[in-house]
């Protein structure tokens, strides 16, 4: 009886120990974080569906494509550009000459993020986050690139009279983010508004996707003529050619190309005085020649 009781006691203790070991392996002793990673239906890596798979970024800004992988263990994570099957990164290593691409891990959320700096229009498309299991596991993220529209209001050639006030308006629309600045350039030289009695630069956000920049030139002179361009941060530029006219000028010249549609009379008036005098002399000579021809003709 004693021997049987001893065996029964040992068997019971073994069962208790086995149950404890199973609990430690499945749930983790004292709720350890490493053990909790393997609780649930998955026994290996899996993608967390809470991560977004459609990312929109504005031209010139930085884009961040997330790939949240749970229970990764020692498996590697790669980012692949689908349009040309180019491997961009493997873990933290970059495998493309374009330094704008970089991957990093946010350990607190198990997220491998692909960073694309200074996004270009050609970066739009599908990117694949691939986990090095067998067979491979893939998660796809769509990158959309928004290209803002930039224009200077008015015609491409602007004619103004010397001494008047010129206002150039640069309008940026379809922009997700307001530009940090708008620089103005005159013949590739940056315009500075140190003296506000001569030049004034303004920038205003009119709507969630619209920003307007103003360049105001007071009392322009002939030397202020030339190419003017507005260049917002991280975006393309728009330009206009300013013509500052001195002396008496026809009203049509103040409205860009309207003088070209005003007819021969206005075009003749637009000619310099010397050319007008020459045209008058030529007209007089032609009239005299016609008169002489009429006199010499037989009656």
């Amino acid at each position: 009886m004693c021997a049987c009781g001893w065996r029964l006691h040992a068997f019971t203790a073994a069962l208790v120990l086995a149950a404890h070991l199973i609990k430690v392996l499945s749930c983790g002793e004292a709720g350890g974080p490493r053990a909790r990673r393997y609780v649930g239906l998955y026994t290996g890596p899996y993608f967390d569906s809470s991560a977004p798979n459609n990312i929109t970024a504005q031209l010139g800004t930085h884009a961040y494509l997330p790939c949240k992988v749970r229970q990764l263990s020692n498996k590697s994570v790669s980012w692949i550009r689908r349009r040309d099957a180019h491997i961009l990164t493997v873990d933290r290593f970059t495998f493309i000459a374009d330094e704008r691409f970089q991957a990093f891990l946010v350990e607190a959320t198990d997220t491998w993020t692909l960073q694309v700096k200074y996004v270009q229009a050609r970066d739009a498309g599908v990117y694949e986050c691939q986990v090095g299991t067998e067979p491979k596991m893939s998660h796809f993220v769509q990158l959309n690139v928004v290209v803002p529209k930039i224009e200077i209001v008015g015609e491409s050639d602007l004619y103004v009279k010397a001494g008047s006030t010129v206002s150039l308006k640069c309008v940026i629309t379809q922009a997700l983010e307001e530009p940090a600045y708008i620089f103005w350039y005159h013949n590739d030289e940056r315009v500075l508004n140190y003296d506000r009695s001569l030049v004034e630069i303004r920038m205003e956000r009119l709507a969630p996707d619209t920003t307007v920049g103003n360049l105001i030139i007071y009392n322009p002179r002939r030397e202020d003529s030339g190419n003017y361009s507005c260049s917002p941060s991280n975006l393309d530029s728009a330009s206009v050619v300013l013509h500052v006219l001195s002396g008496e000028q026809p009203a049509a010249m103040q409205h860009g190309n309207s003088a070209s549609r005003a007819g021969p009379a206005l075009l003749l008036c637009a000619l310099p005085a010397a050319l007008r005098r020459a045209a008058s002399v030529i007209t007089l000579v032609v009239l005299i020649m016609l008169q002489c021809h009429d006199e010499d003709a037989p009656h």
Side-chain angles (χ1 to χ4, degrees):
M1 293 294 295
C2 292
C4 291
W6 181 85
R7 292 191 185 95
L8 181 61
H9 179 74
F11 180 71
T12 302
L15 287 178
V16 173
L17 178 60
H20 180 70
L21 288 175
I22 291 173
K23 180 179 179 180
V24 168
L25 291 174
S26 60
C27 301
E29 187 171 8
R34 190 175 186 83
R36 282 203 304 269
R37 293 167 63 92
Y38 299 92
V39 177
L41 299 176
Y42 300 95
T43 57
Y46 68 95
F47 296 108
D48 190 330
S49 59
S50 66
N53 58 6
N54 199 308
I55 303 297
T56 300
Q58 181 175 302
L59 182 76
T61 63
H62 296 354
Y64 299 90
L65 281 58
C67 180
K68 188 176 291 188
V69 188
R70 302 294 189 181
Q71 300 179 182
L72 182 61
S73 185
N74 62 346
K75 304 299 182 183
S76 62
V77 175
S78 304
W79 277 101
I80 301 169
R81 187 169 56 199
R82 291 287 293 174
R83 65 177 169 85
D84 57 2
H86 200 303
I87 298 176
L88 304 175
T89 64
V90 177
D91 294 334
R92 290 184 173 87
F93 299 98
T94 302
F95 285 83
I96 186 172
D98 192 338
E99 297 181 352
R100 297 180 304 119
F101 292 91
Q102 180 184 0
F104 58 88
L105 171 64
V106 181
E107 295 187 6
T109 58
D110 295 330
T111 302
W112 278 96
T113 299
L114 176 67
Q115 180 187 49
V116 186
K117 298 180 179 179
Y118 308 108
V119 170
Q120 302 173 8
R122 62 186 177 87
D123 293 326
V126 178
Y127 292 79
E128 177 183 355
C129 173
Q130 189 180 93
V131 177
T133 55
E134 195 58 47
K136 299 289 191 297
M137 298 170 52
S138 296
H139 172 72
F140 300 95
V141 180
Q142 172 73 41
L143 174 61
N144 308 297
V145 179
V146 174
V147 181
K149 182 180 179 182
I150 306 170
E151 64 175 347
I152 295 180
V153 177
E155 301 185 19
S156 58
D157 283 85
L158 178 63
Y159 295 84
V160 299
K161 192 173 181 179
S164 61
T165 299
V166 180
S167 179
L168 303 180
K169 183 178 293 186
C170 179
V171 180
I172 305 163
T173 56
Q174 304 174 18
L176 300 177
E177 301 181 15
E178 181 179 8
Y181 57 81
I182 298 177
F183 287 160
W184 286 90
Y185 293 90
H186 176 216
N187 296 332
D188 298 326
E189 183 177 346
R190 186 179 164 192
V191 179
L192 302 174
N193 58 339
Y194 291 138
D195 188 347
R196 295 200 174 186
S197 65
L198 299 177
V199 175
E200 188 174 354
I201 297 176
R202 303 173 183 170
M203 188 175 78
E204 182 180 6
R205 187 74 164 176
L206 296 183
D209 67 341
T210 303
T211 301
V212 175
N214 273 96
L215 171 64
I216 303 174
I217 306 173
Y218 300 104
N219 300 313
R221 299 170 296 175
R222 290 289 295 273
E223 51 266 35
D224 292 320
S225 299
N227 182 281
Y228 284 83
S229 60
C230 69
S231 181
S233 57
N234 297 327
L235 296 176
D236 293 332
S237 60
S239 61
V240 63
V241 178
L242 177 65
H243 304 270
V244 180
L245 308 175
S246 60
E248 295 183 1
Q249 300 295 337
M253 296 295 286
Q254 312 301 319
H255 303 285
N257 297 328
S258 57
S260 63
R261 303 186 295 269
L266 282 180
L267 289 177
L268 182 59
C269 293
L271 293 174
L275 290 179
R276 291 203 300 272
R277 287 194 296 270
S280 300
V281 171
I282 293 173
T283 303
L284 181 59
V285 170
V286 171
L287 291 175
I288 293 173
M289 291 178 65
L290 290 174
Q291 184 177 1
C292 293
H293 180 270
D294 291 340
E295 292 176 353
D296 294 338
H299 296 283

